[in-house]
């Protein structure tokens, strides 16, 4: 069953994907787009999820945040670029 959509924008996007990918099958184009989106979403992790293990390792080593703000130091080192 070939998908058709009432949404004109969605139809236009699908037509553009079909044209650029040189695909003829609308179902395959939709399937491929959804698979690519799933891969992208699965790879994207919240910054907290990426930083948490680093913070836990640092804490296990006895390192604790001291509240020092590096911005002024970094600005000086970069020449206020």
């Amino acid at each position: 069953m070939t998908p058709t959509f009432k949404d004109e924008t969605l139809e236009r996007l699908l037509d553009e994907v079909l044209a650029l990918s040189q695909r003829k099958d609308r179902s395959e184009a939709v399937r491929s787009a959804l698979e690519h989106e799933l891969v992208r979403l699965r790879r994207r992790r919240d910054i907290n999820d990426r930083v948490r293990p680093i913070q836990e390792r640092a804490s296990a080593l006895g390192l604790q945040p001291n509240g020092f703000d590096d911005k002024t130091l970094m600005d000086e080192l970069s020449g206020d670029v």
Side-chain angles (χ1 to χ4, degrees), residues 9-10 23 25 34 37 53 76:
T9 302
L10 187 53
R23 288 193 171 128
D25 187 326
L34 291 172
E37 181 65 2
E76 288 175 15

Side-chain angles (χ1 to χ4, degrees), residues 39-74:
V39 167
R40 186 187 72 81
L41 291 171
R42 287 174 180 150
R43 284 185 182 162
R44 184 187 72 189
R45 292 190 344 196
D46 184 64
I47 185 72
N48 292 330
D49 292 338
R50 291 184 290 172
V51 170
R52 188 175 298 111
I54 297 168
Q55 291 173 326
E56 289 170 357
R57 284 194 313 253
S59 181
L61 293 171
L63 301 173
Q64 296 296 321
N66 63 5
F68 180 73
D69 184 1
D70 293 346
K71 183 174 178 356
T72 304
L73 174 63
M74 294 299 154

Side-chain angles (χ1 to χ4, degrees), residues 1-3 14 18 23-31:
M1 181 176 193
T2 302
L14 181 53
L18 288 168
R23 288 193 171 128
K24 302 278 187 224
D25 187 326
R26 293 168 59 92
S27 293
E28 178 56 32
V30 171
R31 182 182 303 109

